[in-house]
Amino acid sequence: MIIKNVKAYTEESKFAEGSIYIEGGRFVSPSAHLQSESAGEQVIDGEGCYAVPGLIDLHFHGCMGADFCDGTEEALKTIARYEASVGVTSIAPATMTLPVEELERILSVAAGYAGKQAAREPMDTAEKAGDFQEGKPEADFVGVNMEGPFISRTKKGAQDASNIIPCSAAVCQRFLDASEGLVKFIGIAPEESEGAIEFIQSVKDKVHVSLAHTNADYDTADAAFRAGADHAVHLYNAMSSFTHRTPGVIGAAADHEHVWAELICDGVHVHPAAVRATFKMLGKNRIVLISDSMRATGMPDGTYTLGGLDVAVRGNRATLVSDGALAGSVTNLMDCVRTLVRDMKIPLETAVACATINPARCLGIEADYGSIAEGKTADLVLLDEDLNIRMVVKRGRIL
């Protein structure tokens, strides 16, 4: 496949006019392509579109009426197919705060589903590419982001407080075992457990430790990051405030250059001015754009559930019925990119990096995903000048 006449997003986070070459579901160099060029090859005229890597969402809960914590293969298929259709070609869904045994079951189902996906790759025959021929391709399942149950009751947000427990290396290992290593992030509120530092030190080489739903002050967060925590879940939300005398988790994250920070840019969770200030404070290379979307994403207004709690959805805002607290978003990651660029005035080149190569590096999958580069999985999206999707390509096949 050749996609010509596009503004291709480069590994230098810039756009360059040219062509993109794909063989066997991966990007190849022009020279390699010339050596194997065949008659009747598919050539697509991109008509001056932006060609960006497939997006990667490493923190969201569901869409189209399905939630990751439904714990069924059908729900996972629904989620993976919707995400692929909107240009999010790799996913790492997030759990909610549920009983440990239920989380183990959910993670086991996810591991089985991811294994079935992997068994279908590489999809280089018509038989293996059946889902593509049916028009039902799926986003690649590349990890799980555990948002609970080791969190703070004070900053629980839309999580169920009855299931919150202190962080435990033994319980964490149960999650890693159940997921067969699919869990990439484990969230904790370090102020909630006397042994939080020891917990971080004992698991940091097995899984990324994130500060999530936490009311930690600066000193506590600083100690956690020094111990090896390297991630901050949805910065500003369900988190201690950032002020000039009490900088909290945000100030500590800014001081530690190894820490990645998630940011929800749906126009609801973080004010545009705060988003711009965050980019100035942390820099574009440490921010990971997430959607935090829930099952109502792609669905009409109404009442839905998240982690067993009722959520009212009106427009682009989702709130708990019980107390009006924000309960995730109803905006997919591609729409977050558009909001970041159009409404928050962040350059497109920066927005794309925060939704592609940054999450790929954060997940440790940058060798295969996150950029349009020789040898990587051929996932890309063609966007017109208004950032509307013109085409999604998944593993070298057009959706």
Side-chain angles (χ1 to χ4, degrees):
M1 176 188 291
I2 304 174
I3 304 175
K4 65 178 185 178
N5 192 26
V6 293
K7 291 173 279 192
Y9 191 71
T10 70
E11 290 196 286
E12 291 73 38
S13 299
K14 298 179 181 179
F15 287 100
E17 294 185 6
S19 298
I20 297 170
Y21 302 89
I22 298 172
E23 288 182 9
R26 293 188 177 270
F27 298 116
V28 297
S29 66
S31 59
H33 175 266
L34 284 172
Q35 294 173 6
S36 59
E37 190 172 358
S38 60
E41 180 171 25
Q42 189 173 21
V43 179
I44 298 165
D45 187 348
E47 303 179 90
C49 284
Y50 296 108
V52 304
L55 306 192
I56 303 171
D57 198 346
L58 60 71
H59 186 153
F60 75 106
H61 299 277
C63 52
M64 296 302 294
D67 189 287
F68 175 63
C69 286
D70 289 346
T72 67
E73 187 170 304
E74 189 57 39
L76 299 180
K77 284 183 179 180
T78 297
I79 291 167
R81 288 172 177 174
Y82 170 81
E83 295 298 333
S85 77
V86 295
V88 182
T89 55
S90 300
I91 55 175
T95 58
M96 295 293 289
T97 297
L98 298 168
V100 170
E101 293 76 13
E102 186 173 351
L103 287 170
E104 286 182 293
R105 183 191 65 79
I106 291 165
L107 294 172
S108 179
V109 171
Y113 175 76
K116 289 181 179 179
Q117 271 199 340
R120 295 202 300 264
E121 311 300 351
M123 291 185 290
D124 53 5
T125 69
E127 182 179 358
K128 291 182 180 179
D131 271 353
F132 284 83
Q133 292 178 330
E134 295 170 11
K136 296 179 180 179
E138 300 173 1
D140 290 348
F141 206 109
V142 295
V144 173
N145 189 338
M146 295 203 70
E147 200 172 2
F150 308 141
I151 61 173
S152 161
R153 286 175 171 77
T154 303
K155 293 292 183 180
K156 64 181 178 60
Q159 307 280 343
D160 188 342
S162 67
N163 295 316
I164 294 173
I165 60 175
C167 60
S168 161
V171 173
C172 177
Q173 188 61 52
R174 289 170 62 179
F175 295 150
L176 295 177
D177 291 343
S179 73
E180 299 179 18
L182 199 61
V183 170
K184 303 300 182 184
F185 306 94
I186 187 82
I188 70 166
E191 76 281 9
E192 292 295 321
S193 300
E194 290 184 4
I197 298 302
E198 291 76 12
F199 170 83
I200 295 169
Q201 292 171 335
S202 67
V203 305
K204 65 181 178 62
D205 294 328
K206 302 177 183 179
V207 64
H208 295 283
V209 179
S210 55
L211 269 55
H213 288 263
T214 171
N215 201 34
D217 59 17
Y218 175 89
D219 291 338
T220 303
D222 176 69
F225 290 136
R226 289 182 185 278
D230 61 1
H231 197 82
V233 168
H234 44 51
L235 211 66
Y236 298 103
N237 291 279
M239 183 175 289
S240 51
S241 298
F242 175 63
T243 71
H244 63 298
R245 291 195 181 94
T246 56
V249 175
I250 298 159
D255 280 348
H256 290 275
E257 294 187 359
H258 72 286
V259 174
W260 294 94
E262 300 176 358
L263 202 58
I264 309 171
C265 294
D266 61 349
V268 175
H269 282 77
V270 186
H271 191 280
V275 169
R276 292 189 290 271
T278 303
F279 272 91
K280 293 176 182 177
M281 179 169 59
L282 296 181
K284 63 184 180 182
N285 294 327
R286 289 206 282 143
I287 293 174
V288 176
L289 198 62
I290 65 166
S291 71
D292 198 24
S293 66
M294 58 164 290
R295 71 169 77 241
T297 304
M299 301 287 283
D301 288 356
T303 300
Y304 298 85
T305 60
L306 180 65
L309 304 178
D310 289 335
V311 176
V313 173
R314 300 291 181 271
N316 66 343
R317 181 179 290 268
T319 56
L320 287 181
V321 171
S322 60
D323 61 11
L326 281 177
S329 86
V330 288
T331 305
N332 65 58
L333 188 60
M334 185 62 79
D335 279 335
C336 287
V337 168
R338 295 187 184 98
T339 299
L340 189 61
V341 174
R342 293 172 179 170
D343 302 335
M344 299 180 175
K345 309 306 178 186
I346 298 297
L348 177 61
E349 293 85 349
T350 298
V352 170
C354 293
T356 57
I357 192 60
N358 285 7
R361 288 172 177 155
C362 197
L363 284 158
I365 59 172
E366 68 271 26
D368 282 316
Y369 300 90
S371 62
I372 300 172
E374 183 178 0
K376 292 194 178 186
T377 303
D379 295 347
L380 65 82
V381 186
L382 297 187
L383 303 172
D384 65 21
E385 291 185 354
D386 295 321
L387 306 185
N388 298 308
I389 293 177
R390 293 286 299 278
M391 182 182 293
V392 178
V393 176
K394 183 78 188 77
R395 292 188 176 269
R397 300 179 187 274
I398 301 170
L399 270 64

